[in-house]
Amino acid sequence: MMKRNVCIAAVALLLCGCAGRDREAACERSVCLTRPVVMSEETVKYYLGVVKEAHEVSLGFKTAGQISRIHVEEGDKVCRGQLLAELDDADYRLAVEALQIQYNQVSDEVKRMEQLLEQKSVSPNDYEKASAGLKQLEIQLQVNKNKLSYTKLYAPADGYIQAVNFSPAEMVDAGTPLFTFLDVSQMEVSVDIPGSLYRQRGRFARFFCRAAGVGEAMPLSLTGLAPKADGNQLYRLQLAFEHRPDRKLTAGQNVEVGIVVGDAASAGSFAVPMQSLFQAGDSSCLWVFRPDSTVTRRQVELGGIDPEGRAVILDGLAGDEQIVRAGVHVLQEGEKVRVIEAPGRTNVGGLL
């Protein structure tokens, strides 16, 4: 009977000890941990951009006339210097021939007068008048030669014929747009950026883009940034290729634009989630997790918020700490905590 009572008492003491340990474990607060992220001197922001031709040009003849031939059609790709269209040049040729005959005649007369001047058979004043008349004819002849050359229209650069606005036999005035021409000799990239990035425009370091089917990133240079937002509160950024773009790129093609933002002040600092911070008096603090599963308070110096909404820590962290990410307002100095492991990317919510 005595042995039976001793056994019962031992079992009771064991159960009490287990219950005490369970209550102690139940009192431990559960926390999630994270590590500070080292801030880089440069961050890259990616946006969708569109390749555009550098210019859309209205091409027309520099003189009036009747169109005799058009050598291209809408959608044709043309090269710099390629003949696009011609005017009827018959009248211009006749004007050049008439002035050429007159010029040759006066030129011969001036040469004879020059010989007579040497013999003092004509006055210097008469010779000067004849020379001035020859100079005027030379200028008129050159003007008519220019008009004759203006009857041919050439491509000013490599590009595409977007529209043909007239047909052969139609009359056009000087400067009338005969073609709408897309200049692709200098391609550009247009991208819309949000106001948060526009406000960092003074820290833009460099630009590049990538396109499907093109292997390497292509460097870009800034050509323009609209100071006014559109209806969607976006700012238009214009970029030009620093080198001749890949031939696979075409106007209207989508590309991924990388904008590198430099920030030397961020070097040596760290980024932590905003919910990791709490106030202790006038100081900003974090809970640092120690190897013995306890937490200790660490005072830090804040440096603002990064573009991703994280707090920037300028001083107070070494970078190798584990800090409490959630539950910071209920912890006490030296308190022992239980770490909750974050679910894996393939186990969202920790359901598996």
Side-chain angles (χ1 to χ4, degrees):
M1 185 66 177
M2 179 65 69
K3 291 182 179 180
R4 181 179 180 184
N5 291 336
V6 171
C7 291
I8 293 175
V11 171
L13 290 173
L14 181 60
L15 292 176
C16 290
C18 292
R21 286 194 296 271
D22 291 341
R23 283 196 299 269
E24 182 181 354
C27 292
E28 291 181 2
R29 301 186 188 279
S30 299
V31 296
C32 293
L33 302 180
T34 187
R35 289 187 180 275
V37 178
V38 179
M39 296 288 290
S40 172
E41 294 186 14
E42 294 182 340
T43 57
V44 184
K45 302 294 182 181
Y46 292 95
Y47 298 92
L48 182 65
V50 179
V51 178
K52 298 176 61 178
E53 68 283 351
H55 303 287
E56 182 178 290
V57 184
S58 295
L59 295 181
F61 290 101
K62 295 177 67 174
T63 188
Q66 184 181 32
I67 301 173
S68 63
R69 284 184 292 274
I70 295 177
H71 299 282
V72 292
E73 298 179 352
E74 292 184 1
D76 284 356
K77 181 179 180 180
V78 297
C79 300
R80 182 185 183 91
Q82 181 176 335
L83 181 62
L84 305 180
E86 299 178 68
L87 293 177
D88 184 357
D89 62 357
D91 293 338
Y92 292 100
R93 288 185 179 278
L94 291 174
V96 170
E97 290 177 6
L99 278 172
Q100 185 69 56
I101 293 172
Q102 188 176 0
Y103 174 81
N104 292 339
Q105 181 183 359
V106 175
S107 178
D108 292 341
E109 291 178 0
V110 169
K111 289 179 181 179
R112 287 194 296 270
M113 291 188 69
E114 185 176 356
Q115 295 175 354
L116 293 175
L117 180 65
E118 292 176 354
Q119 299 172 3
K120 297 184 180 180
S121 298
V122 296
S123 65
N125 187 44
D126 290 339
Y127 175 75
E128 290 177 0
K129 287 181 179 179
S131 297
L134 179 63
K135 187 64 176 178
Q136 290 178 350
L137 282 175
E138 183 181 0
I139 294 174
Q140 292 179 16
L141 178 60
Q142 187 59 50
V143 168
N144 280 270
K145 285 182 177 180
N146 289 345
K147 289 182 178 180
L148 178 61
S149 67
Y150 295 158
T151 61
K152 291 180 171 57
L153 182 60
Y154 298 93
D158 296 342
Y160 293 88
I161 302 299
Q162 186 177 30
V164 179
N165 303 319
F166 290 88
S167 300
E170 289 190 85
M171 297 293 297
V172 292
D173 291 328
T176 301
L178 178 61
F179 302 107
T180 301
F181 175 75
L182 298 181
D183 179 4
V184 297
S185 60
Q186 293 291 332
M187 303 290 284
E188 295 182 348
V189 175
S190 177
V191 58
D192 294 328
I193 62 175
S196 59
L197 185 60
Y198 175 79
R199 289 188 288 271
Q200 302 179 58
R201 61 190 181 278
R203 304 209 309 265
F204 289 170
R206 59 184 185 277
F207 311 87
F208 62 89
C209 75
R210 292 188 178 91
V214 180
E216 298 182 355
M218 292 164 283
L220 304 170
S221 58
L222 179 65
T223 59
L225 178 57
K228 182 179 179 181
D230 61 14
N232 296 321
Q233 297 302 300
L234 299 174
Y235 295 82
R236 179 62 55 86
L237 188 67
Q238 298 289 349
L239 304 166
F241 289 93
E242 292 186 356
H243 310 293
R244 188 173 182 86
D246 194 285
R247 291 184 177 274
K248 296 178 182 178
L249 288 179
T250 59
Q253 183 175 355
N254 291 333
V255 293
E256 183 184 50
V257 178
I259 302 175
V260 181
V261 182
D263 186 7
S266 295
S269 58
F270 302 93
V272 300
M274 289 294 296
Q275 61 267 31
S276 297
L277 291 167
F278 65 94
Q279 288 294 123
D282 295 332
S283 302
S284 298
C285 300
L286 298 167
W287 289 114
V288 176
F289 181 76
R290 294 190 291 197
D292 60 356
S293 297
T294 61
V295 292
T296 183
R297 183 175 1 190
R298 179 78 61 84
Q299 183 177 334
V300 294
E301 179 185 351
L302 290 180
I305 301 174
D306 75 351
E308 298 182 13
R310 301 173 301 182
V312 178
I313 306 300
L314 300 179
D315 191 25
L317 291 176
D320 56 352
E321 303 94 339
Q322 284 186 296
I323 61 174
V324 177
R325 187 182 64 192
V328 296
H329 298 289
V330 296
L331 297 177
Q332 300 294 328
E333 177 68 29
E335 183 177 354
K336 193 168 186 178
V337 296
R338 181 163 53 92
V339 177
I340 299 177
E341 298 294 337
R345 295 183 178 180
T346 58
N347 184 21
V348 179
L351 300 178
L352 301 179

